[in-house]
Amino acid sequence: MGSVTFQLMIVTIISKMTGLIREVSLAKFFGTGTITDIYVVSESVAAMAFSFLFLSIQTTFIPMYNKVLAQRGRKQADRFTANLTNTVVVLALAIVAIGFVFMPQIMHFVAAGFEGEKLDQAVLFTRIVLFRILFSALNGGFIGYLNNYNDFLTPATTGIIMNVVMIFFSYLTARTGSLYLLAFGGIVSMGVQYIFFPGALRRVGYRHQFILKPKDPAILESLEIAVPAMFSILVNDISIIVDKALATTLVPNGGASALNYANMMFMLVQGVVIVSITTACYPGMSRAAQKKDLTPFKHVIDRSLTQGMLLIIPATVGMMLFAEPLVRLFYQRDQFTAASTMMTAGALFWYTPGLIGLLCSQVFVRAFYALNDTKTPLILSTIQVGVDITFNFILSYLFGLNGLAASTMIGNAVGAILMGIALRKKCGNLQFCSLLISTAKIVAASTVMALVAYPLFYGMGRHMELLRMGVTVLVAAAVYGILILFAQIPEVRRLVNHIYHNRMRRKHRQNGTRA
């Protein structure tokens, strides 16, 4: 799993960097003004529809596919894939139709601070963007299918393609002044990102069939499992919607944008580390969960969490220490002013600790899904969102936008704790003691790294901020890497041994070829 995770991280880094360039382009062209606010809010609505259908099917597809594969063979499993995909597309059409009709009412709830022409533009913009979910519905199951047959890279490249197209349309929008070019760009980018899927599916032996039998037992069982997952994702999206709605009220011109820019930097780390780890571990976790002895299943959970902590904790420390200079380096230019930087940096600081809770909860959610239990994550996610929304109103009243970000962090922590307790009750001891020991060592190494990085960055003066940040990151990474190598963490030893044995095998092959 380690090498697959590493490859995914490399591709995801490229994907997230292009995503960050996309957001930097938006910041450069539109700042934290009306166009960006409309774009951010419409993306939230489309993402809610997207998550409700696409992510729930994607996460429940692998366990169900493996079940059909084990019981009825590859041919029937592929028929199930085709049938499920076609059924989901029909459901997506229904969601688009409902969203199109009721968009004014939805927008009144999502963007309470929008009025007049700005509200009308947001309604039309979101109606256009909503058609994106048809492409997501068509390819949601195929991502899980490719992952199940060890093709992780093809699905991972989709974000790169989408971001490049969106950068182009952002430029066109800025040049022409046509807001709706950005909306059509969203549809085009969503379709084009799946351009490599047909070839990849053929290579792993899949041929699509136009079957539509929604009453097939496997489809009904799959949808039955997916429905709690849908609502689990939906309640999390409601939390995001409430954030954006409150942001438009707290700071009517730019609040939602600042929150979004901070969240993009947060999601950069989340996508590179957490998504890569959960994507790589999920197929193996699903297969291990089918066995009577759950020891291998628990090992996958432990290894996934340790791998994540090794990267998430130092990233969290670094982003909190340097929130303001990072935001300034990435975003502050043209329409993105110093005031925008201050708003965004404050939100980023309070968002960032939530990465640790998010890592744990996402691994635990995949573990529940692998056990075909989607109801427990739904119940616990609902409690988490309730905590988040409650703190939203309390902390936003006290601290404004920063309070919204802090409430998200608190919600992530509560969700992780509840899911960890529930999973332990379901399948016994999860080796949390060894995980806590490893985490304590990682925290100690990250603390030393911070004690070196902070005075180094601010001790180099106030000029050439990019160079100072680059030097600081390199030195901090070197300090942390050295400390972690000597920390006797099992997952680090395993990775070092893997690299060593790979090098030795390569060396022996080269010597054999020369001989």
Side-chain angles (χ1 to χ4, degrees):
M1 186 176 72
S3 59
V4 172
T5 302
F6 179 74
Q7 292 174 35
L8 275 174
M9 283 182 181
I10 296 300
V11 176
T12 307
I13 286 170
I14 299 170
S15 177
K16 291 297 178 180
M17 288 306 297
T18 56
L20 200 56
I21 293 170
R22 181 194 70 201
E23 295 301 310
V24 168
S25 300
L26 285 168
K28 174 182 170 61
F29 296 139
F30 311 119
T32 52
T34 298
I35 291 179
T36 315
D37 277 353
I38 290 172
Y39 172 78
V40 167
V41 170
S42 69
E43 284 289 302
S44 298
V45 175
M48 184 170 67
F50 162 86
S51 300
F52 181 72
L53 185 67
F54 172 74
L55 292 179
S56 54
I57 294 296
Q58 186 185 339
T59 51
T60 56
F61 171 82
I62 290 177
M64 194 62 207
Y65 179 87
N66 284 328
K67 183 177 179 180
V68 176
L69 181 66
Q71 293 177 354
R72 295 159 58 187
R74 173 81 184 262
K75 185 177 179 180
Q76 290 302 314
D78 283 3
R79 283 178 62 85
F80 158 75
T81 303
N83 194 8
L84 181 66
T85 299
N86 298 334
T87 303
V88 171
V89 169
V90 172
L91 289 174
L93 283 167
I95 291 174
V96 170
I98 293 169
F100 197 90
V101 171
F102 293 103
M103 191 53 64
Q105 291 78 12
I106 294 170
M107 198 55 63
H108 273 296
F109 170 71
V110 172
F114 287 7
E115 297 177 347
E117 185 182 359
K118 188 173 183 179
L119 178 63
D120 294 337
Q121 287 179 325
V123 168
L124 180 55
F125 190 98
T126 312
R127 278 174 167 166
I128 297 170
V129 168
L130 202 59
F131 283 91
R132 292 168 52 180
I133 72 167
L134 295 176
F135 292 106
S136 302
L138 180 62
N139 293 282
F142 294 151
I143 290 176
Y145 189 96
L146 291 170
N147 286 346
N148 205 51
Y149 286 98
N150 296 318
D151 183 350
F152 295 94
L153 296 182
T154 301
T157 59
T158 56
I160 301 172
I161 299 168
M162 181 184 72
N163 290 328
V164 170
V165 175
M166 281 304 296
I167 291 167
F168 173 71
F169 274 93
S170 298
Y171 172 76
L172 285 183
T173 300
R175 289 296 299 268
T176 63
S178 173
L179 171 66
Y180 303 111
L181 265 176
L182 202 60
F184 284 111
I187 297 175
V188 173
S189 67
M190 186 61 74
V192 170
Q193 70 175 331
Y194 298 114
I195 192 170
F196 296 116
F197 272 41
L201 289 165
R202 283 195 297 271
R203 284 194 294 275
V204 295
Y206 178 80
R207 298 294 183 273
H208 192 66
Q209 304 169 63
F210 293 97
I211 306 166
L212 186 60
K213 295 181 179 179
K215 293 185 179 181
D216 181 275
I219 295 295
L220 293 176
E221 185 178 351
S222 181
L223 291 176
E224 182 182 350
I225 296 171
V227 166
M230 287 180 181
F231 283 100
S232 178
I233 292 167
L234 181 60
V235 294
N236 282 294
D237 286 338
I238 289 171
S239 172
I240 296 170
I241 294 296
V242 171
D243 275 2
K244 298 289 170 54
L246 287 174
T248 62
T249 304
L250 291 167
V251 187
N253 191 28
S257 303
L259 214 59
N260 180 67
Y261 289 128
N263 192 52
M264 273 299 299
M265 297 187 72
F266 175 89
M267 295 298 287
L268 173 65
V269 180
Q270 187 260 351
V272 170
V273 180
I274 299 175
V275 172
S276 296
I277 286 172
T278 54
T279 300
C281 78
Y282 189 40
M285 190 184 287
S286 176
R287 287 189 288 269
Q290 305 298 322
K291 300 174 182 178
K292 290 184 179 180
D293 181 8
L294 290 179
T295 301
F297 172 75
K298 296 174 186 179
H299 282 320
V300 175
I301 295 172
D302 180 59
R303 290 182 62 185
S304 301
L305 289 172
T306 305
Q307 286 180 3
M309 292 296 183
L310 282 165
L311 297 170
I312 284 293
I313 291 174
T316 298
V317 171
M319 288 176 70
M320 291 182 73
L321 276 179
F322 303 112
E324 186 180 333
L326 283 171
V327 171
R328 188 162 49 243
L329 282 171
F330 279 113
Y331 293 128
Q332 189 172 311
R333 55 188 58 83
D334 295 346
Q335 298 301 313
F336 198 99
T337 64
S340 301
T341 294
M342 293 303 295
M343 275 198 300
T344 304
L348 177 62
F349 180 89
W350 289 106
Y351 266 137
T352 302
L355 284 166
I356 298 170
L358 188 62
L359 166 69
C360 297
S361 61
Q362 287 299 301
V363 171
F364 295 151
V365 165
R366 292 302 188 282
F368 280 114
Y369 288 169
L371 294 166
N372 288 326
D373 179 359
T374 53
K375 293 180 181 178
T376 301
L378 169 60
I379 295 168
L380 299 180
S381 294
T382 304
I383 296 171
Q384 174 184 337
V385 169
V387 171
D388 187 358
I389 292 175
T390 300
F391 277 98
N392 266 338
F393 287 100
I394 297 170
L395 297 182
S396 66
Y397 176 77
L398 296 172
F399 306 111
L401 290 180
N402 292 349
L404 294 177
S407 66
T408 300
M409 177 262 292
I410 293 168
N412 285 340
V414 170
I417 292 167
L418 293 177
M419 287 188 189
I421 293 170
L423 188 61
R424 194 175 190 276
K425 287 181 179 178
K426 190 176 185 69
C427 54
N429 181 27
L430 291 173
Q431 302 174 323
F432 280 161
C433 288
S434 64
L435 175 65
L436 287 172
I437 292 170
S438 296
T439 301
K441 293 177 179 179
I442 295 167
V443 169
S446 300
T447 302
V448 174
M449 176 198 75
L451 293 173
V452 172
Y454 189 82
L456 175 64
F457 179 78
Y458 288 104
M460 286 188 283
R462 295 285 176 181
H463 302 291
M464 299 184 68
E465 196 165 55
L466 179 60
L467 177 62
R468 289 160 53 213
M469 183 60 72
V471 171
T472 301
V473 169
L474 289 174
V475 172
V479 170
Y480 177 75
I482 292 168
L483 291 171
I484 218 70
L485 281 173
F486 289 97
Q488 295 296 305
I489 296 172
E491 195 59 34
V492 175
R493 288 204 306 268
R494 191 178 293 112
L495 178 62
V496 170
N497 288 335
H498 177 75
I499 294 171
Y500 172 77
H501 289 303
N502 275 350
R503 283 191 171 185
M504 292 302 295
R505 281 195 294 270
R506 197 177 297 116
K507 185 177 180 180
H508 287 314
R509 283 198 299 270
Q510 289 173 350
N511 290 338
T513 303
R514 288 169 186 165

